[in-house]
Amino acid sequence: MADQKRKNQEIILQQFNKLRQEQRMVAQKISELKLEESEHKLVIDALKEVNDPTRKCYQLVGGVLMERTVGQVQPNLENNASKINSLINTMDKTLETKAKELVDFKEKHGIKVKGEDSMEDKSKSDSSAAPASTGVLVN
């Protein structure tokens, strides 16, 4: 019986860690996309200062440096920047969903993470003596 309970806790812990990892991966991808978006905006701003649309410029496409004109590159960059921005918005919604899913999972299984909710625990213990929960503690 104790072995079954321990196995269940391990399975719950694995599921929780998987959810946290998914949330971290989404957050990391959002960070990468925001960096890429800012790089696009820098280049777009630099190209806006160029008055000659036939001026040569170089664009890295799939690892190959292509010689093009400002008139050819600028619309592509603006289009890519808008697509990146919409992707960031979609990923933000996904991150919010993952965060809610994680919180619901923690509440459902009584999971407590070290260092997290310490202020909340103190305020609860000051206001009322709540019964101790039997949950999983995660480092």
Side-chain angles (χ1 to χ4, degrees), residues 16-128:
F16 176 73
N17 286 332
K18 181 182 176 197
L19 286 173
R20 275 200 333 188
Q21 184 63 27
E22 289 172 1
Q23 183 185 24
R24 285 185 187 133
M25 287 180 3
V26 171
Q28 181 180 0
K29 188 64 178 175
I30 289 172
S31 177
E32 290 172 10
L33 288 171
K34 284 183 178 182
L35 180 65
E36 194 169 325
E37 181 187 33
S38 69
E39 289 175 357
H40 273 70
K41 286 183 179 180
L42 283 171
V43 174
I44 289 169
D45 291 341
L47 290 179
K48 282 183 180 176
E49 294 177 11
V50 177
N51 295 329
D52 183 15
T54 61
R55 184 172 174 184
K56 285 185 194 179
C57 70
Y58 296 91
Q59 182 181 19
L60 191 63
V61 179
V64 178
L65 196 59
M66 306 286 293
E67 182 179 326
R68 304 222 173 148
T69 64
V70 172
Q72 292 173 324
V73 171
Q74 193 169 5
N76 292 342
L77 285 174
E78 290 171 353
N79 186 25
N80 286 349
S82 68
K83 286 179 181 178
I84 290 170
N85 191 3
S86 65
L87 184 58
I88 288 171
N89 291 336
T90 304
M91 297 286 284
D92 278 336
K93 291 175 186 170
T94 303
L95 184 63
E96 289 174 13
T97 304
K98 288 286 182 192
K100 186 179 182 323
E101 194 177 318
L102 193 62
V103 168
D104 291 344
F105 190 84
K106 281 171 57 175
E107 289 174 358
K108 178 181 176 185
H109 296 288
I111 297 173
K112 296 187 182 186
V113 179
K114 279 186 179 178
E116 195 174 280
D117 302 328
S118 60
M119 296 302 287
E120 185 178 308
D121 291 341
K122 288 179 182 178
S123 66
K124 282 183 182 178
S125 65
D126 291 343
S127 62
S128 65

